[in-house]
């Protein structure tokens, strides 16, 4: 039963992280639109689709498109760095989420560069040099992995007997 709880926890954490990462990423696009006098028509967030922000007019599409992954990586990282060390659980959650956002945004931009999909197509279409997209991933993915490494071993988490002491559902 303990393994089932761990499995449900991990799947739930990943699903919530995915949706929250998309929300922070789209917030970056929205901020980009606002600071460049663009008009946000709609933000689409759906857990089973790739999110998007429709901006029309979009006077500075390169700024708007890059602020999605940049701020979508920096906001969670800043949140992680501002949590006091004494709040261990909150710090670990924000550290996991910051790592998740760095890896997800970095992989999306770096790998998407080769197919020109989504934001990457817009970046390339509006003059971003190709090399900047993989370079973004080369910076963010290892940074995210570094944050995750600081959390400890997955095997330790799964083997930790304290996680099997008592189900939170049984009182």
């Amino acid at each position: 039963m303990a393994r089932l709880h761990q499995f449900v926890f991990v799947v739930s954490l990943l699903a919530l992280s995915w949706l929250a990462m998309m929300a922070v990423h789209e917030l970056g696009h929205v901020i980009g639109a606002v600071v460049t006098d663009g008009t946000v028509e709609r933000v689409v967030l759906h857990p089973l689709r790739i999110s998007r922000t429709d901006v029309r007019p979009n006077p500075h599409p390169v700024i708007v498109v890059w602020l999605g992954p940049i701020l979508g990586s920096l906001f969670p990282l800043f949140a992680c760095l501002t949590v006091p060390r004494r709040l261990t659980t909150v710090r670990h959650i924000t550290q996991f989420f910051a790592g998740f956002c760095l890896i997800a945004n970095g992989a999306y931009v770096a790998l998407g560069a080769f197919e020109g999909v989504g934001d990457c197509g817009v970046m390339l279409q509006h003059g971003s040099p190709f090399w900047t997209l993989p370079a973004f991933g080369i910076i963010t993915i290892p940074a995210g992995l570094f944050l995750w490494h600081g959390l400890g071993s997955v095997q330790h988490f799964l083997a930790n007997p304290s996680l099997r002491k008592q189900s939170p559902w049984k009182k």
Side-chain angles (χ1 to χ4, degrees):
M1 195 59 147
R3 291 278 186 221
L4 176 63
H5 289 142
Q6 288 173 333
F7 177 77
V8 170
F9 172 76
V10 169
V11 169
S12 299
L13 180 63
L14 291 174
L16 180 61
S17 295
W18 178 257
L19 190 58
M21 177 278 301
M22 289 192 306
V24 175
H25 177 102
E26 297 309 319
L27 176 62
H29 290 313
V30 169
I31 290 170
V34 169
V35 300
T36 62
D37 293 325
T39 301
V40 176
E41 286 187 339
R42 138 184 8 126
V43 176
V44 177
L45 288 174
H46 189 284
L48 301 177
R49 295 189 184 142
I50 299 297
S51 59
R52 75 172 199 276
T53 299
D54 298 334
V55 179
R56 287 186 194 90
N58 190 353
H60 299 283
V62 171
I63 294 171
V64 172
V65 76
W66 271 104
L67 282 183
I70 290 172
L71 295 181
S73 297
L74 290 179
F75 284 161
L77 182 60
F78 179 74
C80 171
L81 295 174
T82 59
V83 173
R85 291 198 185 276
R86 62 184 157 70
L87 301 176
T88 307
T89 302
V90 175
R91 188 166 179 88
H92 286 171
I93 291 168
T94 58
Q95 186 173 340
F96 174 85
F97 182 62
F100 185 91
C101 290
L102 285 161
I103 294 166
N105 280 291
Y108 172 56
V109 173
L111 300 175
F114 296 97
E115 294 293 324
V117 297
D119 289 347
C120 301
V122 175
M123 291 169 180
L124 295 169
Q125 180 183 18
H126 290 281
S128 293
F130 177 84
W131 68 267
T132 60
L133 283 70
F136 182 79
I138 288 170
I139 294 167
T140 57
I141 294 170
L145 292 172
F146 176 78
L147 287 176
W148 278 2
H149 180 72
L151 292 172
S153 160
V154 173
Q155 287 95 359
H156 176 72
F157 170 75
L158 294 175
N160 189 344
S162 68
L163 298 174
R164 292 187 291 237
K165 282 183 182 172
Q166 181 181 3
S167 169
W169 311 112
K170 294 179 184 176
K171 294 284 178 185

